Structure formats: C-alpha cells, structure tokens
Amino acid sequence: TTGSDAFATISTSTSTSASNHHSSAFLSRRTTALNTATTTTNSDSTGSSTNNMPKIATKDCYTPDQLKAALHSLLDDSDDPAFDGRHMYGYGDATHELSMLQTITATVFLDYQTYMKDPSTIPSKDDLLAQATAFAKDHGPMLDLSQVISDQAPRMALAAEFKRASPSKGNIATHLKAGDQAALYAQAGANVISVLTEPHWFLGSLDDLKEVRLATNDSAAGRPAVLRKEFIVNEYMIAEAAAFGADTVLLIVAVLPQHLLKRLIDYCRLIGMEALVEVHADDELEVALAAGAKVIGVNNRNLHTFQMDLGNTQHVAQLLSDQNKVFAHGDVDATYTVCALSGMSTSMDVDRYRQAGVGMVLIGESLMRATDPQQAIRDLCLDPSDFESQQLAGGGAGGAYTRGTQMVKVCGITNADDALVACQAGANLIGVIFAPKSKRCVSVEQAQAVVETVRSFGERRSVMSVMEAPANQQPLPLPHMVSMAQRLEDAGRRPMVVGVFQNQDPEFIQQMVQECGLDMVQLHGKEGMEACSTPGVPTIRVVDIETDAATGKASSTAVEDLLQQLTSDPAAILLDTSIKGSTEGGGTGVTFDWSIAEKIQNAGLPVLIAGGLTPENVQDAVTSVRPWGVDVSSGVEA
C-alpha cells in the first residue's frame, strides 16, 4: 500500500484538482504576517514589491476526497508507509472518515501547498532563516525548551496559551490581543507562551507569534520561550516560526508519519530548536521515541474524539518509567522531559502531575477565560511550597476559608439548550430538579438530555469521578468539607449535573442517579446530614437559614447550630433561605442574612449560598461574603 491510498482509494489528484477547485475561492492570505514577510523579502532594488503570493482558501473549500488525499500524501516519500503510518488514526481503513484533527491538518497541508506552488513568489527557507538570524541579532537568541523547563525545578514550569477559539469550544476570547495577554502571563511567571497560529479554527496568525515575542522579550520576570502551536507538516513552517520569533514548535505525532516526524525533529535541531512532541496514545509514544523526541507533551485530550482523560499524562509517565527512561523534573540525570497538555485549571491538577515527575503543564482555555489571568496563574501554586501553604490556608479546624468564590451553580435547568448556555457561560454545576412540587421538575428524558449535553460540552462520556479519602482515612467533618471543596473544584472545571431532591425515597434517588447519569445529588428537604451517604455520588446538603420575613434576620444561633449538626457525610453545604413559619424550605426567591455565611466560612467551612440571587445583587454577595460558591435559579431566567 502506498501513502496516497493507505486510508482509501482516491482518484483525485491533490497537486492539481485541489488547487483548481478553489483557485477562484481564495479570500485572503493565510496570515497578514506572511504578507509582510513576503513583501519584505521579494522587493526589488527600487523598493517595489514583486509579491504575488497565491491567496489561501477558507476552511470549507476543500472536498473530503481532497482532504484525504492531502493527509495520505504525507506518506508518499516513505520507504515503508505501513510502518511509518501504523499509528495514524484510520490507517488502512477504506471507509475511514477524517477526524477534526485530520481535517485541520489536511487543510493546513493544502493551504501551504497552494502558497508554495510558485517558489519565486515567496521567501525560501533560506530567506526565512536569514530573517530569523536578523531577528535573533536584534532581540536575542532562541531559548532551549528543555533547558527552560529544567531550570524551573522544583517549581513546575508553565506554558500559558493564547488561543482565541477552538473547534471543540468555539469562540473563547476573540477580543484579546496576543501581546497584551502574553505580557500578563509572563509577568505572573509563565515560562513558555504557547501561541495558536492556525487561522481557520483557532483564529490565530504568525502576527500573533511575533507580537507575543516582542511583548515578552524584556519581561522583568525573565523572557519566556515562545511556542508556535500549529499543525506543522513541513520544514518550511518551522523556518517560518523561527523567522517570527519562536523558540520552539509543536509536532503532533497523531498526524505525522514516523519518517516525517524524525525529519522535522532533526530540522528543528539543525536550526537550534528543541521541539515539543505531542503524544496521546501508547503507539504514538513509541513513534515519538523512535523519531528522537526528547521533550514529550502528553495531550490529555484525544484530538480525534475530543474526549478528555486527565490520567493520560500519568499513564504515559508510567510507560516511560517502565522503559527506564529518566525524566523526573529536577533529576540531574534526566534525558527526557514530560509535559502535561490540556484540561488543567487548578493547583490540584498541577500537584497531581508534580507527583508523577512532570516538568511543565500547558494551560490555555481557563487562562483565556479568566477575568484576572495573573491571579489564576498564582492560584496554580507552581512552586510546591506554595501548594502546601494553600492547603493549610484552605481551612481546617480554626482556619477561616478565604479563597473566595470558586463554584457557580445554575439550578432549575429543564432542557439541553439552556444547559449548553449555562455551560458556555462558565457554570460548574448544572442543577436539574426532581422534586414534584417544583414548576421546574424534570422527567427522566429531560434530565438525560441535559446530562448528554453537559457531558458533550465537558468532553466526557461517563459520570465525573470525584476523588474522596479512603474510608479508613475519613477526617473530622470540617477538614473533610475543606478537602471535598477542593476536590469538587478540581472536578468542576468540566461542568457536572446535580440532581435536586426534596424528601424523596433513597431508592428513587439512587434510581435517578443511575438512569440519568447524575454526577452529584442535592438534598433539599428534611433528610438530615446522614442521608448524604446513600445516593452513591457526592451529595450537597442544603441547610435552610430560617429568616424572619419582616426583619430579614436569622436566628442568633444559626452558625453554632449548623456547625454542631455537621457530619462527614455531605460533600458540600449550601445555605438557602427558609421563611419563618413556612413548611418547605428553599425556592423562596428571598435572600437571607449573608453575614451568616461569612461567619460560617470564618469558622473554616466553605459554603455555597442561594436564595434571591440576581444579576443585580450577586456581585455584592461575591465581593462582600466571598462564598465558596453561588447557586442561582429564578434570578437568571429570561
């Protein structure tokens, strides 16, 4: 089997029909940066530009056959396509449909094929390397990625990413400027700035790359290395990266045959770069090692299916250990470096990988969405001593909870569309109500539709697993609640579905958990703390703060009463309003005395608050009380 028919038999000629098909559809250059470079390089002695570089197509102008042929052509110069392409998704399957990763890579290939069709109209590789040399003379030499990472030990190195959009999440932060965001990252201690330069799905450009390098070149915290994150398929793209100020590039094993991967790694080293080589599956690690990779990035996201598994980095680290590869961060004998890519957002994520010997974490979406990315970086606790201090400050007997609002719950969701809106807005918890008295009570089918949507958004297929202490290590109630709060934050970086019940049979609750796939349960009746141990998933216990409707005041003993009632059964405590004299708590649309929540948190117990929260008053709640979480429902209904 040859490279061009390894996946399917395709009669289309990529070199001719693909360009003819869309030659009239070109809308713009792939990046304005390429335009600038070409104009500079191809000007004649009089200064007039001879640039007539072909225009680059939009992402949907290629046919499926053209995309398949483009991907297959990466194997054309292989001496053994079956061996070099053995790890490539769908290899040898004539019915295979390209994944999104493969579609993007094939589009990039065709874009560059068109761009490079007439070499006389574009800068050559030598031209780009000359430009890189001139850039280095003006702005400093390239940094070695492996050295940048190892120099941080024992601190975890951070690659902070700039990406405006992605195929799985759509637009993320299209309003941000690359240089401004990168400067914030660098000032907060990022050691690498990852820049998406792919224009169609990620809305990036080479201009962004250069802007980031120039904006961080003189950072007081030390210059970070700049990574071109792209779907690189040829040496030319690596030379471009160097010309626009990059220190390193990403090479994705999943779409690169082994012979091509080795060629690209060797070319990087020839021009002074150490590439970040990305793997996800076991066979991809095998290919990366055979091709000579030294800095290995483990993507926790399967880019073919978009499913996330945060344990994947630890799995690959174990495979390397089993092969006696030395990589532990800070080990003077290490010859490899392991980096964790995708899905991380908390200090617990960082510590998880620290324990596995990982040297760098790459974090993008959560930093792009953060209102204060510098604080978000500080909260990662990259230095192990900072993590230890955070754990102590997080609470325990006698220690006030001071970390502010970490969780947002949107309750009363009844359909998949609203669930998606809540997820896109950043909610951590999506509440579906099973209490029959509620006007928002859902059926099994409605709940299942919400669960399916939330799982799809979070790129998972099953119930979210929230780590708990072993039964023989269950702590006292207060330390337990503090620990669970941090674990729920860890899990809640991907939204979870909470089933809300009120005075209903435990058997019914367990049945709904199983049939609907609920991640958590919330008990909103008179069930008691101990009932939280029966649903089989982490359970939020609602505690009603009885409030006098006339005065808005709660009982003077409310704080003491709650702390005395507390057991290790709930995963979290939610405070809601109960009107004095009413037989049913919650759902009042009335706020309680928030000073109660503040006093409870001062005693060390992180809590969510609900009751009468609206867009008009939630800011006051978050800034004055700084609860661990907020729960909104009717206050955000359209």
Side-chain angles (χ1 to χ4, degrees), residues 523-541:
L523 297 182
H524 216 299
K526 308 296 184 182
E527 301 91 345
M529 295 282 178
E530 292 77 9
C532 294
S533 63
T534 60
V537 293
T539 300
I540 300 170
R541 173 67 255 181

Side-chain angles (χ1 to χ4, degrees), residues 445-619:
E445 292 74 20
Q446 285 175 299
Q448 289 172 336
V450 169
V451 168
E452 181 179 357
T453 296
V454 173
R455 287 185 182 179
S456 177
F457 181 85
E459 299 169 334
R460 60 186 174 97
R461 293 177 177 171
S462 59
V463 172
M464 185 68 75
S465 175
V466 180
M467 297 183 296
E468 298 194 54
N472 62 349
Q473 297 179 19
Q474 286 293 333
L476 295 171
L478 201 53
H480 166 71
M481 301 298 290
V482 170
S483 174
M484 282 305 301
Q486 294 169 342
R487 295 176 192 280
L488 289 172
E489 290 169 32
D490 183 42
R493 65 190 171 279
R494 288 184 282 171
M496 298 184 286
V497 179
V498 182
V500 180
F501 300 86
Q502 188 175 48
N503 300 321
Q504 289 161 286
D505 291 337
E507 294 77 11
F508 173 75
I509 295 174
Q510 292 170 353
Q511 180 183 352
M512 292 300 98
V513 168
Q514 294 300 319
E515 287 189 19
C516 302
L518 303 177
D519 300 296
M520 297 182 66
V521 160
Q522 178 175 308
L523 297 182
H524 216 299
K526 308 296 184 182
E527 301 91 345
M529 295 282 178
E530 292 77 9
C532 294
S533 63
T534 60
V537 293
T539 300
I540 300 170
R541 173 67 255 181
V542 175
V543 174
D544 293 322
I545 304 299
E546 190 174 69
T547 302
D548 189 303
T551 65
K553 296 296 183 180
S555 166
S556 60
T557 62
V559 175
E560 292 76 11
D561 292 345
L562 170 56
L563 294 176
Q564 288 176 6
Q565 297 170 16
L566 194 64
T567 72
S568 295
D569 299 293
I573 296 295
L574 186 152
L575 305 181
D576 201 353
T577 307
S578 172
I579 300 300
K580 190 174 183 178
S582 172
T583 58
E584 297 290 348
T588 64
V590 177
T591 60
F592 64 87
D593 182 357
W594 289 340
S595 68
I596 299 294
E598 187 174 13
K599 291 174 183 176
I600 290 172
Q601 293 199 146
N602 285 343
L605 176 62
V607 295
L608 297 103
I609 64 172
L613 292 177
T614 67
E616 288 71 36
N617 67 11
V618 72
Q619 182 175 353

Side-chain angles (χ1 to χ4, degrees), residues 78-136:
S78 168
D79 293 333
D80 188 348
F83 177 78
D84 287 332
R86 65 193 183 280
H87 62 289
M88 297 178 74
Y89 185 49
Y91 182 86
D93 179 1
T95 65
H96 173 68
E97 297 297 327
L98 298 187
S99 68
M100 178 57 71
L101 170 62
Q102 292 173 322
T103 297
I104 295 173
T105 304
T107 299
V108 170
F109 178 92
L110 291 172
D111 281 355
Y112 271 87
Q113 183 183 68
T114 301
Y115 172 50
M116 299 169 68
K117 187 175 182 180
D118 183 355
S120 67
T121 64
I122 63 171
S124 66
K125 279 196 299 184
D126 287 344
D127 293 332
L128 291 170
L129 294 182
Q131 185 177 332
T133 300
F135 190 97

